[in-house]
Amino acid sequence: QVQLVESGGDLVQPGGSLRLSCAASGIIFSTYTPAWYRQAPGKQRELVAAIASGGGATAYAANMKARFTISRNNARDTGYLQMNSLKPEDTAVYFCNAARDVLTTDMRDLSRFSSWGQGTQVTVSS
């Protein structure tokens, strides 16, 4: 059974940084493409970033690439999202999910996922 647990969310001031973690179990993490998503109040869930199983290829939402960095540590079965220069509009619940045999750009299709974790809350406010 696939289990992905997000952590690292917090209240941070504008301009601050956070690193989110996504701990995987029940899968051979190194063969999966993990991705981060976020959902702000009243808005649809959207892709933030995805990273290929080998870690070489990445995909980002256009307005996040300059400030966010996705990475992975296959030895620890964990994915990460480093977020810098945070803005109030980054406030959202952040989720991770993962799929096999897909391109990073395929991860924009949220309909491929039948379940989600609880996510981790990121609040950017002064």
Side-chain angles (χ1 to χ4, degrees), residues 24-41:
S25 60
I27 59 172
I28 302 174
F29 182 70
S30 61
T31 67
Y32 277 71
T33 295
W36 286 94
Y37 302 84
R38 70 183 187 184
Q39 187 165 18

Side-chain angles (χ1 to χ4, degrees), residues 31-96:
T31 67
Y32 277 71
T33 295
W36 286 94
Y37 302 84
R38 70 183 187 184
Q39 187 165 18
K43 295 188 177 181
Q44 289 189 334
R45 195 168 299 183
E46 61 178 347
L47 174 70
V48 175
I51 184 166
S53 58
T58 57
Y60 291 89
N63 59 343
M64 301 177 206
K65 186 174 183 178
R67 300 182 294 120
F68 294 1
T69 302
I70 190 171
S71 62
R72 63 189 299 159
N73 185 326
N74 288 339
R76 295 187 175 184
D77 293 338
T78 302
Y80 303 98
L81 182 68
Q82 177 68 40
M83 305 187 295
N84 298 326
S85 302
L86 283 162
K87 305 175 181 180
E89 51 263 43
D90 295 317
T91 295
V93 179
Y94 285 71
F95 301 87
C96 67

Side-chain angles (χ1 to χ4, degrees), residues 10-18 85-88 123-126:
D10 206 346
L11 170 63
V12 63
Q13 291 188 343
S17 297
L18 282 175
S85 302
L86 283 162
K87 305 175 181 180
T123 303
V124 185
S125 174
S126 56

